[in-house]
Amino acid sequence: MTDLALPTHPLTPAQLNPSGIADALDRAAHLIHTNGLATGEYWECQLFATRWTEGRGCDALGAIGVAVGYRDHLDIDRAIVGEDVYDPKAHAYATTGPHPVLAALMAHLGVRDPLDVMNWSDKAQDRAVVEALRACAAGLRIHAAAAEQVGRVAS
């Protein structure tokens, strides 16, 4: 069973194995199921509120960000969505790409751009977003279990 407690610090790369990604997706689904689905923003905003606080509804991207340990919208832009980040040493911008948890949901939904997830989340109903997050998590667990079984048979 997934631990639905929200992490207080970003997950480490070691925690981002298929099981850890599935757990994060389940936490994001639980967050939306419990607090509601926000539209137009990562989470329900109050004037100048850039950080998520307990009890706020989230869209899919915001919920993923909170579920992997981020609370600030700028951190989600960089770490989850993969915005262009300026590298002063290279004097250039580099795109980090979507976070592994978001990438898993994008693959599940069959989309290539985080903006497509945001648009989908804004148009969907709470239940559809929760079900998609949970289905993606379940699919990851099935693939991980099958890969583990193949590894045991091969050895």
Side-chain angles (χ1 to χ4, degrees):
M1 182 71 187
T2 302
D3 178 7
L4 297 175
L6 297 172
T8 57
H9 300 301
L11 299 181
T12 65
Q15 293 171 302
L16 293 173
N17 56 38
S19 178
I21 292 171
D23 288 349
L25 289 163
D26 279 335
R27 284 192 299 272
H30 182 72
L31 183 61
I32 292 171
H33 177 78
T34 303
N35 296 352
L37 180 68
T39 58
E41 302 288 338
Y42 290 142
W43 43 74
E44 295 170 339
C45 287
Q46 297 169 343
L47 192 57
F48 303 114
T50 61
R51 292 186 58 79
W52 180 83
T53 54
E54 190 68 40
R56 283 191 176 163
C58 297
D59 76 351
L61 295 177
I64 288 171
V66 172
V68 300
Y70 294 100
R71 300 295 184 269
D72 186 274
H73 74 96
L74 292 176
D75 292 335
I76 292 174
D77 287 345
R78 287 187 287 270
I80 304 301
V81 177
E83 270 196 349
D84 291 340
V85 177
Y86 184 72
D87 180 354
K89 290 180 183 177
H91 302 289
Y93 284 88
T95 301
T96 59
H99 189 277
V101 177
L102 176 56
L105 180 61
M106 289 168 58
H108 178 78
L109 296 174
V111 300
R112 296 178 140 200
D113 190 312
L115 184 59
D116 293 333
V117 176
M118 190 179 299
N119 291 333
W120 163 78
S121 178
D122 283 350
K123 293 175 185 164
Q125 295 179 340
D126 296 37
R127 184 175 175 181
V129 174
V130 168
E131 287 174 357
L133 289 163
R134 288 181 177 157
C136 183
L140 283 170
R141 287 191 178 94
I142 289 168
H143 287 334
E148 185 178 310
Q149 184 68 16
V150 168
R152 276 187 278 204
V153 171
S155 57

